[in-house]
Amino acid sequence: MASTSLPWGRSRLLSRLDEAPLTVLSAPRGYGKTTLVETWLAAQPDSTVIRVEVPDPGMATQQYWSDLAERVNADTDVLVLDRPDRLCGVTIWEWLRTIRAAHRGLRVVVSIRESTLLESGRLPDPTLTVVTAAELEFTEAEVADLLARRGVSSPERTARDLLRITGGHPALVAIAEGVVRVFGSDLDFERERAYLAVRVEIDRYVEDMLLEEPGIGDMARTIAVLRRPFPDALKLLGIDDGAGTLSGLERAGLLRRMPAAPDPYWTWPTAFRRSVLRIVERDAVVPSRVASVTLARWFADRGEPVEALRHATDGQDWDLLIATLATEWPAIVTTGLGVLVRALQALPESEARANPAVRYARLLVAGVGLTAGSPGYMRGPLPEISVTGTADRDSAELALLTGILRLCVQRWNGDYDEAVRDRDALVTLANRVGESGGLDRRWLSSVWMHLGLASQLRGGDRRTVELLTRAVDCGIDDPGNFASRQATGHLALHHAVRGEPERAAHWLRQEARFGERAGWIRALVERPAIVARALEQLDRLDVPAAEAAMDELDEIDDELDELGAFVAYVRSQLDLILGRSEVGLDRVDRSRDRLRRRLGPTAAAGPLLTAASMDLHTAAGQAARVLAHARLADGPMHPMMRLAASRAAMCTGDHAAATAFCTPLTGRHVSGTRVRLEALLIAATLAHEQGSDDEARIAWERATATSRDSGLVRPLLTVPPAIRDALTAGGDAIPFADKLAEWGDGPYPQPAPLVTLTKREAVVLDGLARGGSLAQIAESLFVSTSTVKSQRHSLYRKLGVHSRRDAVLEAARRGLL
């Protein structure tokens, strides 16, 4: 048997043995339980330890415990029992209770393989620590630590690869480490051969050590077609004593039982099942396709579409595969995406050609890069599907689910206008199917979520909240409804972008009701909520919380993420408030280049990134450049971009342009809270600088009321502290004054008073900016050098500077060059 003496980097497990007076290590053979205990004992040299080895199966249970009671005395500190479950069942806990009652300070560590002993209601002490097989498996960091200590090259990359091959099983990690170490410095050039050698050694271990027991090998080969074997399924394979067979395979170390489940079932360590299937294929004992088809139809009847699709693929039952995919894809996408990709790859082209749902699904997984090749635009005409005029309920369901797949493809391509046009017909069809009861609530959640997301990504559509809310309503009481959970996150993001932190927080609380993390699909399901939380906290000026939220995001390439532009927008806002304008500009430019097909004129995220870029340029002292580009824009300008242009104009001292840009945004008809609040703040600042105190106070009071109602704080930073104090003098206190005080003058340069230059001063300024000497400037004006010096003095005074360099920089900031 392979050695599992791999203690390095496993401090998390050693600490588990210190948690309670009674610790139970429950796992099949090969999980390194003995090595872990030995390592732990070695760290306690002063303790008196009694260790009882695995008992002989012929030994009497009473004799075992009597001998043990005689050995333990008042000086014993630690008692370690290996495999007492070999002799007795649940009575083990009664015996241990008796021994511990007689020796109060005794610490006990028990190693067992019989997982049924841990079922609820049988444990003697609610404070004991149970270390399960899943916890004994290696993490990627632990594998990397082991490889680094062994001198293996590129330990992080190698650890990632070996974890995928071994699943973290301790015995297999030991095998893999021994194999790759043989390759030494050649590993980086011989990875394929090294990993092939690892698989060969794993197969040898499985065959020689785990399949050698009588009856075990044949049973393992028979049930290898089942990824999640349980007794009822085994009956379909001709095995009557399913529970006994699975328990035997568990004791042999091939399976793990899930004792916490309401209906107990077993799971394969993934590497073991792959190995058994390779051995079966090598021996030409190919698992019966008939058995796979039987299992597929059985799982379909049980309402388990992922398992049905998996076995339909193994059995090459293409009719069942297509039928399952066409009607069950909402459940499959969220809980079995890998199974879906494998099925689509296995399906012959001749079978797929006639089915629009399958063709859309193929386009989608190819476009997002889930199949071989790079992700990209799904070129060519999309297969047509009628979403109206369906004759019966079944055809309506098929048309709806196929139409939603088409809509997903359109969204991925960035064709938001087409997606919204299809959406309207699909909403009608979804209402019809919902009224007939054709789809359950989970599927309807997915349908409404995709329809709402199409509206959200297009931008400017009032149906976003309506459709996403319907998705939430279909599953708010169902913790496993990922589509409903995702919809709450998108609602939170919708309100956060609009500048409504209180409403965003409401939906984030709803999202939290779904409980624990969403496992491997967390990036898909929780990403909108995480982005919304970051923006909501940033708008409340809780920057550390916003940064922490952004740190939660998985490292996914923006190109593979429909929310990539929103993520870039929030990061740009963090850069803006933290004074990292150049970093933010670089980030926005790279994101716009990667996401260009999703940033068209009707995309919601396009104007956000453009406005963010304008604000970052203004913060970097390039307001005049922003204003010049804004004046050249053709057609109507998005409200966020108008705000950015107005802010740039104000910073250059061009009050007329600033007023023209922001005034249309201050009316109560403006739908976005952020837009209206920021426009009112700019209007208040402009009115104050122009001496219109009443007008300034009215705009300020409307802005502060909006800020209090919405919880939106960050825009108040755009008003300089001195102006905030002046506008609040004699009235209500500045809202959120304590938070604002921490940020001083905010991210933008102070608005400059309007400066008017004479023609002669403008020419002198131009000459100074071009680097001309005073004599050269005087010659070009046909005046004396003294006259130029006088004009220069007047120019410096108006600009508030004392040098040529400062005059040029200040003039550029004010847009005077």
Side-chain angles (χ1 to χ4, degrees), residues 489-490 492-494 496-497 504 508 523 525-539 545-546 549-554 558 561-571 574 608:
H490 282 292
L493 180 58
H494 172 79
V497 170
L508 289 172
V525 175
E526 294 191 42
R527 197 168 178 85
I530 295 173
V531 179
R533 188 181 311 117
L535 187 53
E536 177 232 357
Q537 295 291 351
L538 181 60
D539 280 338
M550 295 304 286
D551 288 342
E552 289 185 52
L553 293 175
D554 295 333
D558 287 343
D561 179 24
E562 285 191 292
L563 296 183
F566 291 93
V567 174
Y569 170 71
V570 178
R571 292 195 187 281
L574 273 169
L608 288 181

mmCIF file of all heavy atoms in Angstrom, residues 489-490 492-494 496-497 504 508 523 525-539 545-546 549-554 558 561-571 574 608:
data_model
loop_
_atom_site.group_PDB
_atom_site.id
_atom_site.type_symbol
_atom_site.label_atom_id
_atom_site.label_comp_id
_atom_site.label_asym_id
_atom_site.label_seq_id
_atom_site.Cartn_x
_atom_site.Cartn_y
_atom_site.Cartn_z
ATOM 1 N N GLY A 489 -29.390 39.056 -6.721
ATOM 2 C CA GLY A 489 -28.123 39.760 -6.906
ATOM 3 C C GLY A 489 -28.189 40.777 -8.023
ATOM 4 O O GLY A 489 -27.660 41.891 -7.902
ATOM 5 N N HIS A 490 -28.860 40.420 -9.116
ATOM 6 C CA HIS A 490 -28.988 41.366 -10.229
ATOM 7 C C HIS A 490 -29.878 42.553 -9.846
ATOM 8 O O HIS A 490 -29.631 43.686 -10.287
ATOM 9 C CB HIS A 490 -29.534 40.658 -11.465
ATOM 10 C CG HIS A 490 -28.506 39.846 -12.195
ATOM 11 N ND1 HIS A 490 -27.442 40.426 -12.858
ATOM 12 C CD2 HIS A 490 -28.363 38.505 -12.357
ATOM 13 C CE1 HIS A 490 -26.698 39.484 -13.406
ATOM 14 N NE2 HIS A 490 -27.233 38.312 -13.119
ATOM 15 N N ALA A 492 -30.099 43.781 -6.809
ATOM 16 C CA ALA A 492 -29.232 44.609 -5.966
ATOM 17 C C ALA A 492 -28.269 45.427 -6.818
ATOM 18 O O ALA A 492 -28.055 46.617 -6.576
ATOM 19 C CB ALA A 492 -28.458 43.722 -4.987
ATOM 20 N N LEU A 493 -27.707 44.793 -7.850
ATOM 21 C CA LEU A 493 -26.787 45.509 -8.730
ATOM 22 C C LEU A 493 -27.500 46.609 -9.498
ATOM 23 O O LEU A 493 -26.964 47.718 -9.673
ATOM 24 C CB LEU A 493 -26.130 44.514 -9.688
ATOM 25 C CG LEU A 493 -25.121 45.096 -10.681
ATOM 26 C CD1 LEU A 493 -23.985 45.811 -9.952
ATOM 27 C CD2 LEU A 493 -24.569 44.004 -11.588
ATOM 28 N N HIS A 494 -28.707 46.333 -9.962
ATOM 29 C CA HIS A 494 -29.493 47.333 -10.694
ATOM 30 C C HIS A 494 -29.666 48.596 -9.842
ATOM 31 O O HIS A 494 -29.440 49.718 -10.315
ATOM 32 C CB HIS A 494 -30.848 46.738 -11.064
ATOM 33 C CG HIS A 494 -31.810 47.714 -11.657
ATOM 34 N ND1 HIS A 494 -31.750 48.124 -12.970
ATOM 35 C CD2 HIS A 494 -32.864 48.386 -11.098
ATOM 36 C CE1 HIS A 494 -32.714 49.000 -13.210
ATOM 37 N NE2 HIS A 494 -33.416 49.171 -12.096
ATOM 38 N N ALA A 496 -27.950 49.441 -7.122
ATOM 39 C CA ALA A 496 -26.657 50.022 -6.750
ATOM 40 C C ALA A 496 -26.132 50.928 -7.858
ATOM 41 O O ALA A 496 -25.612 52.016 -7.599
ATOM 42 C CB ALA A 496 -25.656 48.915 -6.438
ATOM 43 N N VAL A 497 -26.253 50.490 -9.097
ATOM 44 C CA VAL A 497 -25.789 51.312 -10.223
ATOM 45 C C VAL A 497 -26.611 52.588 -10.323
ATOM 46 O O VAL A 497 -26.081 53.662 -10.633
ATOM 47 C CB VAL A 497 -25.860 50.497 -11.540
ATOM 48 C CG1 VAL A 497 -25.621 51.395 -12.743
ATOM 49 C CG2 VAL A 497 -24.831 49.370 -11.518
ATOM 50 N N ALA A 504 -30.612 48.576 -2.760
ATOM 51 C CA ALA A 504 -29.638 47.518 -3.024
ATOM 52 C C ALA A 504 -29.434 46.658 -1.787
ATOM 53 O O ALA A 504 -29.377 45.421 -1.872
ATOM 54 C CB ALA A 504 -28.307 48.127 -3.478
ATOM 55 N N LEU A 508 -29.817 42.637 -1.173
ATOM 56 C CA LEU A 508 -28.683 41.864 -0.664
ATOM 57 C C LEU A 508 -29.095 41.056 0.566
ATOM 58 O O LEU A 508 -28.621 39.932 0.767
ATOM 59 C CB LEU A 508 -27.516 42.790 -0.331
ATOM 60 C CG LEU A 508 -26.803 43.398 -1.544
ATOM 61 C CD1 LEU A 508 -25.798 44.445 -1.096
ATOM 62 C CD2 LEU A 508 -26.099 42.304 -2.348
ATOM 63 N N ALA A 523 -19.275 31.645 -8.827
ATOM 64 C CA ALA A 523 -18.932 32.761 -9.717
ATOM 65 C C ALA A 523 -20.131 33.192 -10.548
ATOM 66 O O ALA A 523 -20.333 34.383 -10.788
ATOM 67 C CB ALA A 523 -17.775 32.358 -10.636
ATOM 68 N N VAL A 525 -23.488 32.501 -9.795
ATOM 69 C CA VAL A 525 -24.675 32.821 -9.020
ATOM 70 C C VAL A 525 -24.483 34.039 -8.125
ATOM 71 O O VAL A 525 -25.355 34.900 -8.023
ATOM 72 C CB VAL A 525 -25.093 31.595 -8.170
ATOM 73 C CG1 VAL A 525 -26.267 31.935 -7.262
ATOM 74 C CG2 VAL A 525 -25.460 30.430 -9.085
ATOM 75 N N GLU A 526 -23.338 34.138 -7.480
ATOM 76 C CA GLU A 526 -23.152 35.181 -6.469
ATOM 77 C C GLU A 526 -22.451 36.427 -6.997
ATOM 78 O O GLU A 526 -22.426 37.452 -6.312
ATOM 79 C CB GLU A 526 -22.358 34.619 -5.290
ATOM 80 C CG GLU A 526 -23.102 33.552 -4.528
ATOM 81 C CD GLU A 526 -22.405 33.214 -3.223
ATOM 82 O OE1 GLU A 526 -21.953 34.148 -2.537
ATOM 83 O OE2 GLU A 526 -22.296 32.035 -2.907
ATOM 84 N N ARG A 527 -21.890 36.360 -8.175
ATOM 85 C CA ARG A 527 -21.113 37.501 -8.681
ATOM 86 C C ARG A 527 -21.912 38.806 -8.710
ATOM 87 O O ARG A 527 -21.412 39.841 -8.245
ATOM 88 C CB ARG A 527 -20.571 37.174 -10.065
ATOM 89 C CG ARG A 527 -19.430 38.099 -10.526
ATOM 90 C CD ARG A 527 -18.784 37.493 -11.754
ATOM 91 N NE ARG A 527 -17.732 38.317 -12.297
ATOM 92 C CZ ARG A 527 -16.471 38.307 -11.874
ATOM 93 N NH1 ARG A 527 -16.143 37.528 -10.867
ATOM 94 N NH2 ARG A 527 -15.559 39.064 -12.436
ATOM 95 N N PRO A 528 -23.155 38.831 -9.201
ATOM 96 C CA PRO A 528 -23.877 40.112 -9.209
ATOM 97 C C PRO A 528 -24.078 40.682 -7.809
ATOM 98 O O PRO A 528 -23.975 41.898 -7.606
ATOM 99 C CB PRO A 528 -25.213 39.779 -9.876
ATOM 100 C CG PRO A 528 -25.331 38.304 -9.838
ATOM 101 C CD PRO A 528 -23.943 37.774 -9.864
ATOM 102 N N ALA A 529 -24.335 39.816 -6.820
ATOM 103 C CA ALA A 529 -24.523 40.303 -5.449
ATOM 104 C C ALA A 529 -23.226 40.856 -4.887
ATOM 105 O O ALA A 529 -23.221 41.877 -4.178
ATOM 106 C CB ALA A 529 -25.054 39.182 -4.561
ATOM 107 N N ILE A 530 -22.110 40.216 -5.189
ATOM 108 C CA ILE A 530 -20.820 40.688 -4.677
ATOM 109 C C ILE A 530 -20.481 42.051 -5.276
ATOM 110 O O ILE A 530 -20.037 42.970 -4.578
ATOM 111 C CB ILE A 530 -19.712 39.666 -4.985
ATOM 112 C CG1 ILE A 530 -19.978 38.366 -4.215
ATOM 113 C CG2 ILE A 530 -18.347 40.227 -4.598
ATOM 114 C CD1 ILE A 530 -19.040 37.236 -4.587
ATOM 115 N N VAL A 531 -20.696 42.200 -6.581
ATOM 116 C CA VAL A 531 -20.422 43.496 -7.226
ATOM 117 C C VAL A 531 -21.352 44.567 -6.660
ATOM 118 O O VAL A 531 -20.936 45.694 -6.388
ATOM 119 C CB VAL A 531 -20.589 43.384 -8.756
ATOM 120 C CG1 VAL A 531 -20.334 44.732 -9.420
ATOM 121 C CG2 VAL A 531 -19.642 42.338 -9.319
ATOM 122 N N ALA A 532 -22.625 44.211 -6.465
ATOM 123 C CA ALA A 532 -23.583 45.164 -5.898
ATOM 124 C C ALA A 532 -23.176 45.575 -4.499
ATOM 125 O O ALA A 532 -23.258 46.758 -4.124
ATOM 126 C CB ALA A 532 -24.980 44.546 -5.878
ATOM 127 N N ARG A 533 -22.720 44.605 -3.690
ATOM 128 C CA ARG A 533 -22.312 44.923 -2.322
ATOM 129 C C ARG A 533 -21.120 45.879 -2.322
ATOM 130 O O ARG A 533 -21.059 46.814 -1.519
ATOM 131 C CB ARG A 533 -21.953 43.641 -1.574
ATOM 132 C CG ARG A 533 -21.703 43.846 -0.090
ATOM 133 C CD ARG A 533 -21.332 42.552 0.605
ATOM 134 N NE ARG A 533 -22.252 41.491 0.266
ATOM 135 C CZ ARG A 533 -21.914 40.378 -0.379
ATOM 136 N NH1 ARG A 533 -20.662 40.204 -0.769
ATOM 137 N NH2 ARG A 533 -22.806 39.459 -0.645
ATOM 138 N N ALA A 534 -20.188 45.667 -3.221
ATOM 139 C CA ALA A 534 -19.025 46.551 -3.290
ATOM 140 C C ALA A 534 -19.441 47.983 -3.626
ATOM 141 O O ALA A 534 -18.983 48.945 -3.001
ATOM 142 C CB ALA A 534 -18.027 46.029 -4.324
ATOM 143 N N LEU A 535 -20.331 48.138 -4.623
ATOM 144 C CA LEU A 535 -20.755 49.472 -5.027
ATOM 145 C C LEU A 535 -21.610 50.121 -3.943
ATOM 146 O O LEU A 535 -21.483 51.331 -3.673
ATOM 147 C CB LEU A 535 -21.536 49.397 -6.341
ATOM 148 C CG LEU A 535 -21.920 50.732 -6.984
ATOM 149 C CD1 LEU A 535 -20.719 51.641 -7.152
ATOM 150 C CD2 LEU A 535 -22.593 50.486 -8.330
ATOM 151 N N GLU A 536 -22.464 49.331 -3.298
ATOM 152 C CA GLU A 536 -23.299 49.871 -2.217
ATOM 153 C C GLU A 536 -22.429 50.382 -1.077
ATOM 154 O O GLU A 536 -22.632 51.487 -0.557
ATOM 155 C CB GLU A 536 -24.243 48.771 -1.707
ATOM 156 C CG GLU A 536 -25.102 49.197 -0.532
ATOM 157 C CD GLU A 536 -25.006 48.229 0.638
ATOM 158 O OE1 GLU A 536 -24.317 47.202 0.519
ATOM 159 O OE2 GLU A 536 -25.598 48.532 1.683
ATOM 160 N N GLN A 537 -21.408 49.613 -0.668
ATOM 161 C CA GLN A 537 -20.530 50.043 0.421
ATOM 162 C C GLN A 537 -19.696 51.258 0.001
ATOM 163 O O GLN A 537 -19.464 52.170 0.800
ATOM 164 C CB GLN A 537 -19.610 48.898 0.836
ATOM 165 C CG GLN A 537 -20.330 47.701 1.431
ATOM 166 C CD GLN A 537 -20.922 48.006 2.791
ATOM 167 O OE1 GLN A 537 -20.667 49.042 3.378
ATOM 168 N NE2 GLN A 537 -21.741 47.089 3.299
ATOM 169 N N LEU A 538 -19.270 51.277 -1.242
ATOM 170 C CA LEU A 538 -18.503 52.425 -1.723
ATOM 171 C C LEU A 538 -19.354 53.683 -1.702
ATOM 172 O O LEU A 538 -18.876 54.765 -1.322
ATOM 173 C CB LEU A 538 -18.005 52.139 -3.146
ATOM 174 C CG LEU A 538 -17.157 53.228 -3.805
ATOM 175 C CD1 LEU A 538 -15.903 53.500 -2.993
ATOM 176 C CD2 LEU A 538 -16.789 52.814 -5.223
ATOM 177 N N ASP A 539 -20.613 53.585 -2.097
ATOM 178 C CA ASP A 539 -21.495 54.751 -2.090
ATOM 179 C C ASP A 539 -21.811 55.230 -0.681
ATOM 180 O O ASP A 539 -22.225 56.369 -0.482
ATOM 181 C CB ASP A 539 -22.784 54.431 -2.840
ATOM 182 C CG ASP A 539 -22.611 54.527 -4.349
ATOM 183 O OD1 ASP A 539 -21.678 55.221 -4.789
ATOM 184 O OD2 ASP A 539 -23.405 53.908 -5.078
ATOM 185 N N ALA A 545 -14.817 48.033 3.306
ATOM 186 C CA ALA A 545 -15.817 46.992 3.031
ATOM 187 C C ALA A 545 -15.984 46.780 1.530
ATOM 188 O O ALA A 545 -16.161 45.652 1.071
ATOM 189 C CB ALA A 545 -17.156 47.366 3.662
ATOM 190 N N ALA A 546 -15.931 47.866 0.760
ATOM 191 C CA ALA A 546 -16.042 47.745 -0.693
ATOM 192 C C ALA A 546 -14.863 46.960 -1.266
ATOM 193 O O ALA A 546 -15.031 46.095 -2.129
ATOM 194 C CB ALA A 546 -16.123 49.125 -1.333
ATOM 195 N N ALA A 549 -15.245 43.299 -0.485
ATOM 196 C CA ALA A 549 -16.228 42.655 -1.364
ATOM 197 C C ALA A 549 -15.608 42.345 -2.726
ATOM 198 O O ALA A 549 -15.812 41.249 -3.278
ATOM 199 C CB ALA A 549 -17.455 43.543 -1.519
ATOM 200 N N MET A 550 -14.858 43.283 -3.274
ATOM 201 C CA MET A 550 -14.242 43.039 -4.581
ATOM 202 C C MET A 550 -13.203 41.925 -4.503
ATOM 203 O O MET A 550 -12.996 41.179 -5.464
ATOM 204 C CB MET A 550 -13.603 44.325 -5.111
ATOM 205 C CG MET A 550 -14.596 45.433 -5.417
ATOM 206 S SD MET A 550 -15.900 44.952 -6.578
ATOM 207 C CE MET A 550 -14.988 44.920 -8.118
ATOM 208 N N ASP A 551 -12.549 41.796 -3.333
ATOM 209 C CA ASP A 551 -11.570 40.722 -3.176
ATOM 210 C C ASP A 551 -12.225 39.340 -3.186
ATOM 211 O O ASP A 551 -11.555 38.335 -3.409
ATOM 212 C CB ASP A 551 -10.794 40.904 -1.867
ATOM 213 C CG ASP A 551 -9.819 42.078 -1.936
ATOM 214 O OD1 ASP A 551 -9.503 42.506 -3.064
ATOM 215 O OD2 ASP A 551 -9.400 42.571 -0.876
ATOM 216 N N GLU A 552 -13.533 39.295 -2.909
ATOM 217 C CA GLU A 552 -14.239 38.014 -2.920
ATOM 218 C C GLU A 552 -14.412 37.453 -4.336
ATOM 219 O O GLU A 552 -14.635 36.255 -4.506
ATOM 220 C CB GLU A 552 -15.631 38.161 -2.300
ATOM 221 C CG GLU A 552 -15.651 38.369 -0.808
ATOM 222 C CD GLU A 552 -17.072 38.386 -0.294
ATOM 223 O OE1 GLU A 552 -17.820 37.440 -0.610
ATOM 224 O OE2 GLU A 552 -17.437 39.343 0.391
ATOM 225 N N LEU A 553 -14.371 38.328 -5.322
ATOM 226 C CA LEU A 553 -14.660 37.884 -6.684
ATOM 227 C C LEU A 553 -13.636 36.863 -7.145
ATOM 228 O O LEU A 553 -12.438 36.999 -6.917
ATOM 229 C CB LEU A 553 -14.651 39.085 -7.641
ATOM 230 C CG LEU A 553 -15.782 40.098 -7.427
ATOM 231 C CD1 LEU A 553 -15.595 41.280 -8.343
ATOM 232 C CD2 LEU A 553 -17.134 39.452 -7.669
ATOM 233 N N ASP A 554 -14.123 35.823 -7.779
ATOM 234 C CA ASP A 554 -13.229 34.820 -8.322
ATOM 235 C C ASP A 554 -12.396 35.430 -9.439
ATOM 236 O O ASP A 554 -12.802 36.373 -10.100
ATOM 237 C CB ASP A 554 -14.027 33.641 -8.880
ATOM 238 C CG ASP A 554 -14.780 32.901 -7.797
ATOM 239 O OD1 ASP A 554 -14.344 32.916 -6.641
ATOM 240 O OD2 ASP A 554 -15.799 32.317 -8.137
ATOM 241 N N ASP A 558 -12.455 38.812 -17.548
ATOM 242 C CA ASP A 558 -13.646 39.599 -17.873
ATOM 243 C C ASP A 558 -14.278 39.157 -19.188
ATOM 244 O O ASP A 558 -15.480 39.293 -19.384
ATOM 245 C CB ASP A 558 -13.286 41.094 -17.975
ATOM 246 C CG ASP A 558 -13.028 41.693 -16.603
ATOM 247 O OD1 ASP A 558 -13.439 41.060 -15.618
ATOM 248 O OD2 ASP A 558 -12.428 42.769 -16.540
ATOM 249 N N ASP A 561 -17.170 36.848 -18.709
ATOM 250 C CA ASP A 561 -18.151 37.245 -17.707
ATOM 251 C C ASP A 561 -19.034 38.350 -18.249
ATOM 252 O O ASP A 561 -18.548 39.409 -18.636
ATOM 253 C CB ASP A 561 -17.415 37.720 -16.451
ATOM 254 C CG ASP A 561 -18.371 38.185 -15.371
ATOM 255 O OD1 ASP A 561 -19.531 37.744 -15.384
ATOM 256 O OD2 ASP A 561 -17.955 38.991 -14.533
ATOM 257 N N GLU A 562 -20.360 38.128 -18.235
ATOM 258 C CA GLU A 562 -21.275 39.150 -18.727
ATOM 259 C C GLU A 562 -21.253 40.393 -17.851
ATOM 260 O O GLU A 562 -21.634 41.473 -18.302
ATOM 261 C CB GLU A 562 -22.695 38.589 -18.786
ATOM 262 C CG GLU A 562 -22.915 37.645 -19.952
ATOM 263 C CD GLU A 562 -24.378 37.311 -20.141
ATOM 264 O OE1 GLU A 562 -24.932 36.623 -19.258
ATOM 265 O OE2 GLU A 562 -24.961 37.727 -21.161
ATOM 266 N N LEU A 563 -20.837 40.246 -16.606
ATOM 267 C CA LEU A 563 -20.782 41.392 -15.699
ATOM 268 C C LEU A 563 -19.390 42.016 -15.656
ATOM 269 O O LEU A 563 -19.115 42.838 -14.787
ATOM 270 C CB LEU A 563 -21.203 40.966 -14.287
ATOM 271 C CG LEU A 563 -22.649 40.491 -14.128
ATOM 272 C CD1 LEU A 563 -22.935 40.174 -12.671
ATOM 273 C CD2 LEU A 563 -23.626 41.535 -14.644
ATOM 274 N N GLY A 564 -18.525 41.613 -16.565
ATOM 275 C CA GLY A 564 -17.156 42.128 -16.543
ATOM 276 C C GLY A 564 -17.084 43.641 -16.589
ATOM 277 O O GLY A 564 -16.268 44.263 -15.905
ATOM 278 N N ALA A 565 -17.948 44.279 -17.399
ATOM 279 C CA ALA A 565 -17.919 45.740 -17.504
ATOM 280 C C ALA A 565 -18.379 46.393 -16.193
ATOM 281 O O ALA A 565 -17.858 47.441 -15.807
ATOM 282 C CB ALA A 565 -18.806 46.202 -18.664
ATOM 283 N N PHE A 566 -19.352 45.788 -15.514
ATOM 284 C CA PHE A 566 -19.795 46.329 -14.236
ATOM 285 C C PHE A 566 -18.699 46.193 -13.181
ATOM 286 O O PHE A 566 -18.508 47.067 -12.338
ATOM 287 C CB PHE A 566 -21.073 45.623 -13.778
ATOM 288 C CG PHE A 566 -22.269 45.940 -14.617
ATOM 289 C CD1 PHE A 566 -22.627 45.131 -15.686
ATOM 290 C CD2 PHE A 566 -23.044 47.052 -14.358
ATOM 291 C CE1 PHE A 566 -23.728 45.417 -16.476
ATOM 292 C CE2 PHE A 566 -24.152 47.361 -15.141
ATOM 293 C CZ PHE A 566 -24.487 46.547 -16.203
ATOM 294 N N VAL A 567 -17.987 45.071 -13.223
ATOM 295 C CA VAL A 567 -16.860 44.892 -12.304
ATOM 296 C C VAL A 567 -15.807 45.969 -12.557
ATOM 297 O O VAL A 567 -15.282 46.588 -11.621
ATOM 298 C CB VAL A 567 -16.246 43.491 -12.472
ATOM 299 C CG1 VAL A 567 -14.987 43.355 -11.634
ATOM 300 C CG2 VAL A 567 -17.248 42.420 -12.081
ATOM 301 N N ALA A 568 -15.495 46.206 -13.835
ATOM 302 C CA ALA A 568 -14.509 47.239 -14.172
ATOM 303 C C ALA A 568 -14.983 48.611 -13.714
ATOM 304 O O ALA A 568 -14.185 49.433 -13.244
ATOM 305 C CB ALA A 568 -14.255 47.237 -15.685
ATOM 306 N N TYR A 569 -16.279 48.877 -13.838
ATOM 307 C CA TYR A 569 -16.823 50.172 -13.403
ATOM 308 C C TYR A 569 -16.633 50.364 -11.898
ATOM 309 O O TYR A 569 -16.169 51.424 -11.454
ATOM 310 C CB TYR A 569 -18.298 50.257 -13.761
ATOM 311 C CG TYR A 569 -19.008 51.440 -13.141
ATOM 312 C CD1 TYR A 569 -18.761 52.734 -13.583
ATOM 313 C CD2 TYR A 569 -19.901 51.268 -12.099
ATOM 314 C CE1 TYR A 569 -19.400 53.830 -13.010
ATOM 315 C CE2 TYR A 569 -20.549 52.347 -11.516
ATOM 316 C CZ TYR A 569 -20.289 53.622 -11.976
ATOM 317 O OH TYR A 569 -20.920 54.700 -11.389
ATOM 318 N N VAL A 570 -16.965 49.351 -11.114
ATOM 319 C CA VAL A 570 -16.825 49.489 -9.659
ATOM 320 C C VAL A 570 -15.354 49.647 -9.283
ATOM 321 O O VAL A 570 -15.002 50.471 -8.426
ATOM 322 C CB VAL A 570 -17.446 48.279 -8.944
ATOM 323 C CG1 VAL A 570 -17.248 48.397 -7.433
ATOM 324 C CG2 VAL A 570 -18.935 48.187 -9.256
ATOM 325 N N ARG A 571 -14.478 48.887 -9.919
ATOM 326 C CA ARG A 571 -13.052 49.040 -9.610
ATOM 327 C C ARG A 571 -12.566 50.440 -9.989
ATOM 328 O O ARG A 571 -11.735 51.029 -9.296
ATOM 329 C CB ARG A 571 -12.247 47.965 -10.347
ATOM 330 C CG ARG A 571 -12.498 46.556 -9.833
ATOM 331 C CD ARG A 571 -11.431 45.593 -10.334
ATOM 332 N NE ARG A 571 -11.722 44.218 -9.999
ATOM 333 C CZ ARG A 571 -11.524 43.651 -8.813
ATOM 334 N NH1 ARG A 571 -11.017 44.371 -7.834
ATOM 335 N NH2 ARG A 571 -11.823 42.380 -8.615
ATOM 336 N N LEU A 574 -13.464 52.779 -7.236
ATOM 337 C CA LEU A 574 -12.523 52.648 -6.115
ATOM 338 C C LEU A 574 -11.221 53.389 -6.426
ATOM 339 O O LEU A 574 -10.681 54.097 -5.572
ATOM 340 C CB LEU A 574 -12.237 51.164 -5.858
ATOM 341 C CG LEU A 574 -13.201 50.419 -4.934
ATOM 342 C CD1 LEU A 574 -12.955 48.923 -5.003
ATOM 343 C CD2 LEU A 574 -13.046 50.912 -3.494
ATOM 344 N N LEU A 608 -21.460 53.687 -18.691
ATOM 345 C CA LEU A 608 -20.848 53.682 -17.357
ATOM 346 C C LEU A 608 -19.332 53.771 -17.467
ATOM 347 O O LEU A 608 -18.691 54.567 -16.766
ATOM 348 C CB LEU A 608 -21.237 52.403 -16.604
ATOM 349 C CG LEU A 608 -22.667 52.271 -16.103
ATOM 350 C CD1 LEU A 608 -22.841 50.951 -15.365
ATOM 351 C CD2 LEU A 608 -23.025 53.434 -15.182
#
